[in-house]
Amino acid sequence: MPDAMVATRASSERGTAQQVDVAVVGAGFAGLYLLHRLRKAGFNAVALEEAGDVGGTWYWNRYPGARCDIQTIDYSYTFDPELETAWTWSEKYATQPEILRYLGFVADRYDLRKDIRFRTKVTEAKWDEKTERWHLTTDNGAPVSCRHYIMATGCLSAPKPPEIDGVKDFKGEVYFTGRWPHDGVDLAGKRVAVIGTGSSAVQSIPLIAEQAAHLTVFQRTPNFALPAHNGPAPSDRMSLLQSDRAAYREQARQSMAGVPYPQQTVVSWQLSDAERRERFERAWAAGDLVHMLTQLWADQAVDVDGNRIVQDLIREKIRSAVKDPETAAALMPDDHPFGAKRPCLDTNYYATYNRPNVTLVNLRKEPIKAITAGGISTSSRSFDLDVIVFATGFDAMTGAIRAVHPITGRGGRSLTDVWAQGPQSYLGLTVEGFPNFFMITGPGSPSVLSNMAVSIEQHVDWVVDRLAALRDAGFTTIEPTETAQAGWNRHMADCSMVTLHRLANTWYTGANVPGKVQGLMPYTGGVGPYRSICDEVVNRGMLGFKLTGPGGATQCNDGEVVRLQPDVRLVLNLLATLNLPPIESMGAQGACAFVNEFNKSRPAGRPIGEIVDGTLPGPDGPLPYRVYKPASSGPHPVVVYFHGGGWVLGDEQSDEPFCRDMVRRTGMMFVSVGYRHAPEHRFPAAAEDGYAATRWIAEHAAELGGKPGPVLVAGWSAGGNIAAVTCQLARDRGGPDIAGQLLVCPVTDCDFDRPSYNENATGYFLTRSLMYWFWDLYCSPSDRADPRVSPLRGKVAGLPPAFVVTCEFDPLRDEGIAYAEAMSAAGVPVEQLKARGHFHSSFTMVDVVITGVSGRVQMAKALRRFAGLPEVSRDEPGPGFKIAAAAS
Ligand code: N01
């Protein structure tokens, strides 16, 4: 509908509120699909749009070079197969005008404009408790009264004001990439400045340089940019799409980033230099951000070492593209991991700095002092300018919602106040205290870390389906509970520890806006997992939501949807899909074979100095051992290690990734002992082997290459049991000297009635019935109270200092805590790590359960302390400090 007609209609309604079921703010990708779905679901809806037409971000961002940077075949609506075939993109990465045409085409095809009020800004939104409706005031036309209020405002729609002194004094032209004039700007023959080197700048700089007499780029932080290699849509992706469109789309919906790429499983250190380079060159040639961000190796986005390799390879490309070495050096990012800040996709960006009419000003060396009437002055020089282009970004995510207009919820609470310390939400979709209020791709959802088109469709479908279900059940309001929201915020914080996003100063964290509270705003747990959580909320009876209706009808299923660490949840879900028979049903031999096979699929441990195998004399014949040595020169303190496996499974190599990781973190030597197993060798074989092996290793520490003197003991699960028992036996049998014990999820008692045995009886891999089976194979009921298998029943005074790790979702949790508390009460120095959201195998699934890293860091620190070694030092604050700190 032409703007004039909209204005006429709106003004005719001035004064009387327009009554609708649902009001939507925004007519971009999200707002359009919302209108379509709401209408199909039988809701009467209106969209309020500040712009003069549809398009959202693509309406405003018209700067030269503005394009999509997700391949356009992926950045499209998928809700209607006919729409998909009715529109053909002309390029791999469509330009802004083409995307705008597409959105106009969609608006026309579904006749959406008739429900959009253009050039209409909401100036205030208030929840009315009596009528249970939102009241919206607008700057153009009638106010609106609606049952539900949905923000489809986009994540990057509030441009950041220029924070540089003197902008108003400048006599030349000033433009913002995010508000580019519709008729374009003639830059020919002009002296132009671009401030900023984010995506908008990187796309526009090469084109501005072609027009301008001279271009000066003011760069505060260099960003990683990759070549787009734009052209026709790549044939391999097109044939994937065309061969099975539905499967292609479904893979995108279940993927981590919303683009159908597989999950990489090979880690960087399993590849040779040549293999890594080959993968990188392939990704560089592909010209695809998501490919480069996800397809190199499994650890690139979660581990600083795996990421550093990518950074170095990109820096090499920058060095070879830019002729002047000083300019090249200034363009190389060095303060954040690749992908932690949004990388850019470019066409000729780096080569543009080889042009004689382009100058790069490194603001890290010469900060801007002021903008003057004639140009820009830095601390060391002045630049005369005709035009300044601000490519300085947005008050992202919250700015688009909070700063748009005051939003007042239940009890007069303002969203600005509620979010004063950072955005709070449930699922990134709803906010406690704000009934019937929804955000599409809001903070707390994958949004900007995903293909927005996929996330928008998922959000819209979820919200509209909920509104329809609510209506059909006769409820009138929906609002998340405090518990659910607090749980989601904790889950967000847990997710943020998996990826490296937290290590960059970026608009993802609010660091780009002076004074903005900092914290990672998008959900980093991935698109597929997020979708499954939203579905789980519904399947568990609208978990975390309170619904109310006429006559006091209320439904409140309070609770937290995710209490597991995000990666633990993924592992457990994956295991559940495998439908494995219970391990105890496989028989001892079958179970051993299964565990061996299972271990083959895990990431190999990281490189260490040396691995040496040998045998030592046990009480009843030789016992194998494996020595793991650090790369540093020794001799190192010795840790005697006992593997897990319920006294039945595993061997001296089965916890290899854990041993290697701990060797790297502690700088100590681990000797993993292959003690005898049940059912062939029942109690007390494992305990006596553990003790004898510790004694022998302590006596032969120097021969093994370790430091003579007290040893330390460590073990996981049944191995933790053996380590604990060994400490008691060493105390009672005259040595060896043990300087400390690390007990990770240890078995400490034969009592199966503690709450954790019941709460975590099934569903967390180690089950109660598996534990029963282990006990039955190892130990007769009459022997179970013996301290050599139930150390909690022994004397716990006079033991070496201990670090005891327990996991929330582990049947063994409470007996581990009981042992730690008993030792502590008996005067043993004890530290405990009660790992929230973790399961029995969290800490040994190295490079799979990434959230286990911080626990192993603490374990390593404890072992070093026990051994009298100094704490590992960290770099001083400065560029890259956060990365160095995380690397420890
Ligand atoms: O904004 P940005 P953008 N003085 O925040 C600098 C999406 N997008 O508009 O890094 C000097 O990334 C700032 O420096 P620093 C995409 O998700 C998509 O470019 O804060 N410099 C930075 O260099 C993207 O990430 C497409 O130190 C100042 C730049 O300005 C997001 O939008 C295209 C400054 C801002 O970069 C935002 O991109 C374009 C100051 N006072 C954008 N303040 C697609 O292709 C800021 N800077 C789909």
Side-chain angles (χ1 to χ4, degrees):
M1 182 187 293
D3 293 345
M5 282 173 69
V6 174
T8 312
R9 187 187 66 187
S11 67
S12 69
E13 290 163 347
R14 199 182 297 273
T16 342
Q18 182 181 2
Q19 302 286 332
V20 287
D21 298 324
V22 187
V24 172
V25 185
F29 248 102
L32 292 179
Y33 183 44
L34 259 171
L35 277 185
H36 173 66
R37 277 289 335 258
L38 285 165
R39 197 185 284 166
K40 277 187 76 166
F43 290 104
N44 160 13
V46 66
L48 303 156
E49 170 57 64
E50 193 180 346
D53 200 352
V54 300
T57 198
W58 298 105
Y59 176 90
W60 298 107
N61 284 273
R62 295 167 186 249
Y63 58 84
R67 286 178 187 275
C68 187
D69 60 8
I70 297 275
Q71 291 199 27
T72 332
I73 55 164
D74 297 311
Y75 187 74
S76 313
Y77 290 116
T78 66
F79 64 86
D80 179 354
E82 283 180 21
L83 169 65
E84 287 208 53
T85 46
W87 181 271
T88 307
W89 294 105
S90 68
E91 286 182 287
K92 176 179 169 188
Y93 297 108
T95 57
Q96 173 269 336
E98 186 174 3
I99 299 173
L100 196 57
R101 273 201 306 282
Y102 170 71
L103 292 172
F105 172 79
V106 170
D108 292 338
R109 186 180 172 92
Y110 301 99
D111 193 16
L112 300 175
R113 283 193 170 88
K114 69 176 183 204
D115 288 328
I116 305 174
R117 283 171 55 181
F118 292 108
R119 298 197 195 288
T120 304
K121 197 175 165 191
V122 181
T123 49
E124 195 175 9
K126 268 190 179 164
W127 172 251
D128 181 337
E129 310 235 4
K130 277 206 196 97
T131 57
E132 293 184 332
R133 292 177 76 83
W134 282 93
H135 286 282
L136 316 180
T137 338
T138 71
D139 69 349
N140 181 9
V144 176
S145 164
C146 54
R147 173 77 64 205
H148 300 283
Y149 186 38
I150 308 182
M151 307 298 284
T153 36
C155 298
L156 294 156
S157 34
K160 201 167 75 98
E163 307 115 1
I164 304 167
D165 287 346
V167 182
K168 289 205 173 70
D169 301 336
F170 184 60
K171 297 276 186 272
E173 303 158 51
V174 172
Y175 300 104
F176 291 82
T177 47
R179 291 287 182 270
W180 201 257
H182 286 200
D183 302 331
V185 178
D186 183 9
L187 298 171
K190 294 184 179 157
R191 296 161 302 174
V192 181
V194 171
I195 303 180
T197 47
S199 298
S200 305
V202 164
Q203 284 185 332
S204 56
I205 282 169
L207 293 172
I208 294 177
E210 282 174 14
Q211 294 175 40
H214 196 92
L215 169 64
T216 310
V217 177
F218 292 83
Q219 170 191 272
R220 190 161 67 183
T221 313
N223 213 340
F224 291 101
L226 317 173
H229 299 310
N230 200 13
S235 53
D236 56 337
R237 304 300 300 168
M238 277 309 282
S239 52
L240 268 179
L241 172 68
Q242 282 161 354
S243 64
D244 189 344
R245 195 173 281 272
Y248 183 92
R249 296 300 187 206
E250 188 53 25
Q251 194 188 345
R253 292 180 190 122
Q254 301 304 335
S255 69
M256 293 304 272
V259 178
Y261 278 116
Q263 191 75 10
Q264 285 301 306
T265 50
V266 178
V267 281
S268 59
W269 63 91
Q270 286 175 298
L271 299 164
S272 66
D273 278 354
E275 287 168 327
R276 287 194 295 255
R277 184 169 290 275
E278 195 272 325
R279 283 178 176 227
F280 172 77
E281 292 295 348
R282 207 168 349 118
W284 191 263
D288 183 327
L289 270 183
V290 183
H291 184 148
M292 187 64 96
L293 283 164
T294 62
Q295 297 299 297
L296 297 179
W297 32 87
D299 51 320
Q300 67 177 98
V302 296
D303 180 82
V304 285
D305 294 332
N307 189 277
R308 193 172 293 118
I309 304 169
V310 193
Q311 293 173 41
D312 288 343
L313 289 164
I314 300 177
R315 285 191 278 260
E316 222 177 76
K317 292 285 186 192
I318 300 172
R319 199 175 294 120
S320 68
V322 181
K323 287 190 187 135
D324 173 42
E326 202 184 324
T327 306
L331 286 166
M332 288 182 208
D334 65 355
D335 73 340
H336 62 275
F338 170 69
K341 193 169 182 145
R342 176 68 144 69
C344 311
L345 201 64
D346 78 275
T347 301
N348 293 331
Y349 176 64
Y350 291 117
T352 296
Y353 291 95
N354 297 331
R355 293 175 66 104
N357 70 331
V358 176
T359 307
L360 178 71
V361 177
N362 181 352
L363 298 180
R364 297 271 179 227
K365 287 202 171 146
E366 45 171 320
I368 294 178
K369 269 199 334 208
I371 293 178
T372 61
I376 295 179
S377 305
T378 68
S379 57
S380 48
R381 47 192 166 148
S382 293
F383 297 86
D384 294 332
L385 298 165
D386 304 307
V387 178
I388 301 179
V389 175
F390 284 91
T392 43
F394 301 86
D395 179 358
M397 308 205 70
T398 49
I401 295 171
R402 201 172 60 156
V404 178
H405 56 270
I407 299 175
T408 310
R410 194 187 286 287
R413 286 159 78 197
S414 105
L415 189 67
T416 303
D417 292 344
V418 172
W419 283 7
Q421 296 309 313
Q424 314 286 312
S425 79
Y426 182 39
L427 304 173
L429 285 162
T430 58
V431 184
E432 192 262 328
F434 295 79
N436 297 2
F437 173 78
F438 297 89
M439 301 171 290
I440 303 300
T441 64
S445 78
S447 60
V448 292
L449 292 180
S450 70
N451 174 358
M452 289 295 269
V454 167
S455 286
I456 283 169
E457 284 192 339
Q458 186 263 339
H459 272 188
V460 169
D461 289 340
W462 194 92
V463 170
V464 177
D465 289 346
R466 299 294 66 71
L467 295 190
L470 194 77
R471 175 193 58 196
D472 296 347
F475 290 111
T476 46
T477 76
I478 174 169
E479 182 186 340
T481 67
E482 245 181 277
T483 315
Q485 183 160 295
W488 189 252
N489 289 334
R490 206 165 26 248
H491 176 58
M492 286 280 295
D494 290 343
C495 287
S496 75
M497 296 310 290
V498 179
T499 66
L500 303 176
H501 293 99
R502 67 188 187 284
L503 303 179
N505 291 327
T506 137
W507 59 261
Y508 293 152
T509 62
N512 67 327
V513 177
K516 186 165 175 175
V517 174
Q518 289 195 37
L520 199 54
M521 292 183 285
Y523 177 80
T524 52
V527 167
Y530 174 82
R531 173 184 295 268
S532 80
I533 293 169
C534 292
D535 292 346
E536 190 179 329
V537 165
V538 179
N539 295 336
R540 291 171 68 186
M542 290 306 284
L543 181 65
F545 282 103
K546 184 178 176 189
L547 317 179
T548 67
T554 302
Q555 175 194 307
C556 182
N557 186 6
D558 202 3
E560 294 170 48
V561 61
V562 186
R563 291 179 55 213
L564 291 166
Q565 291 292 330
D567 39 9
V568 170
R569 180 177 178 274
L570 291 187
V571 166
L572 290 173
N573 283 352
L574 183 72
L575 287 170
T577 62
L578 297 178
N579 246 330
L580 297 169
I583 293 177
E584 60 273 29
S585 70
M586 300 177 184
Q589 265 189 349
C592 286
F594 165 77
V595 168
N596 288 344
E597 215 36 53
F598 188 78
N599 284 347
K600 281 186 198 156
S601 63
R602 67 190 173 177
R606 293 184 197 215
I608 54 170
E610 196 185 5
I611 290 180
V612 182
D613 289 328
T615 51
L616 57 85
D620 190 32
L623 299 175
Y625 67 79
R626 176 165 272 204
V627 182
Y628 298 94
K629 292 185 185 174
S632 58
S633 58
H636 307 97
V638 176
V639 180
V640 182
Y641 180 76
F642 301 106
H643 65 83
W647 308 286
V648 176
L649 311 173
D651 56 32
E652 71 282 3
Q653 302 176 27
S654 56
D655 290 353
E656 179 138 338
F658 180 73
C659 290
R660 285 173 178 252
D661 189 82
M662 292 303 290
V663 165
R664 287 167 65 96
R665 290 180 195 284
T666 56
M668 293 156 78
M669 189 173 111
F670 271 53
V671 185
S672 175
V673 177
Y675 53 87
R676 283 172 295 163
H677 285 164
E680 296 84 0
H681 305 284
R682 288 166 61 83
F683 173 83
E688 291 298 343
D689 284 3
Y691 171 68
T694 306
R695 179 159 217 137
W696 186 89
I697 291 165
E699 284 163 2
H700 297 81
E703 276 166 54
L704 292 168
K707 195 171 157 189
V711 292
L712 298 99
V713 294
W716 167 54
S717 193
N721 172 267
I722 296 170
V725 168
T726 295
C727 290
Q728 294 194 6
L729 295 179
R731 175 199 58 200
D732 299 340
R733 296 181 184 176
D737 262 358
I738 297 179
Q741 48 179 329
L742 168 65
L743 311 179
V744 184
C745 306
V747 181
T748 70
D749 194 24
C750 56
D751 179 347
F752 308 118
D753 287 332
R754 293 190 171 82
S756 59
Y757 248 94
N758 293 319
E759 289 164 16
N760 308 313
T762 57
Y764 303 105
F765 199 57
L766 178 66
T767 61
R768 179 169 54 193
S769 108
L770 181 56
M771 275 311 297
Y772 285 167
W773 185 68
F774 284 145
W775 272 98
D776 284 345
L777 289 187
Y778 180 54
C779 196
S780 310
S782 56
D783 288 329
R784 289 186 184 178
D786 189 310
R788 285 175 300 167
V789 70
S790 290
L792 186 56
R793 308 212 173 200
K795 181 181 150 200
V796 291
L799 292 173
F803 191 85
V804 182
V805 180
T806 51
C807 291
E808 187 180 1
F809 295 98
D810 181 359
L812 306 184
R813 178 193 70 205
D814 293 343
E815 65 195 74
I817 293 173
Y819 194 60
E821 287 174 352
M823 284 193 290
S824 183
V828 176
V830 177
E831 291 165 70
Q832 284 198 63
L833 166 60
K834 295 179 182 172
R836 183 179 55 75
H838 282 287
F839 80 134
H840 188 69
S841 305
S842 279
F843 294 106
T844 47
M845 293 191 87
V846 178
D847 295 308
V848 175
V849 175
I850 307 299
T851 51
V853 168
S854 69
R856 287 197 302 278
V857 168
Q858 293 180 57
M859 295 178 212
K861 280 187 183 172
L863 286 178
R864 285 183 67 88
R865 252 193 327 274
F866 297 157
L869 297 177
E871 243 192 75
V872 179
S873 66
R874 292 182 173 194
D875 290 357
E876 288 303 309
F881 167 67
K882 284 199 209 171
I883 303 173
S888 74

